[in-house]
Amino acid sequence: LDLNGSSMLVLTLSDASPADNPPQEAIDFTIEVLDRLGNSARLPLSSVAYLQPRLLAQIFKAPWMSKMLASEMVFQDFEFALANFSRSNPAFNPAALAEIRLVFDRTPAGSIAVDEVSFR
């Protein structure tokens, strides 16, 4: 990949909690990137936005008459400038990005779905 400090890491995510047990709060976790020399840098998802819980909706008057789910996953794009990772650790080289990690260390519980990981 031809990456530099102006490149954007894009994560497309959704709350994947069961429809009958949605989280009560927004989800936050840490995105960690590593370069080929092992230098790492971390940013919380909340530095862009929190992952919002799925919304429940009652569509029918008698929901017991339908097998449709009361909610569905809605994916959100979260964009992180690689330069922001370099600011958190100047030793991190965005041009030598080798690994992306999702570290679940900020919200006590939850489930997420990852649809895409891309760069702009």
Side-chain angles (χ1 to χ4, degrees), residues 84-105:
N84 290 341
F85 287 102
S86 295
R87 282 187 199 99
S88 72
N89 179 5
F92 170 71
N93 179 3
L97 180 68
E99 192 171 334
I100 302 167
R101 296 179 181 167
L102 305 181
V103 182
F104 300 99
D105 59 347

Side-chain angles (χ1 to χ4, degrees), residues 13 27-31 43-51 78 80:
L13 310 169
I27 297 172
D28 193 15
F29 55 90
T30 300
I31 294 87
L43 290 174
L45 182 72
S46 58
S47 68
V48 172
Y50 289 95
L51 180 59
F78 295 84
F80 298 88

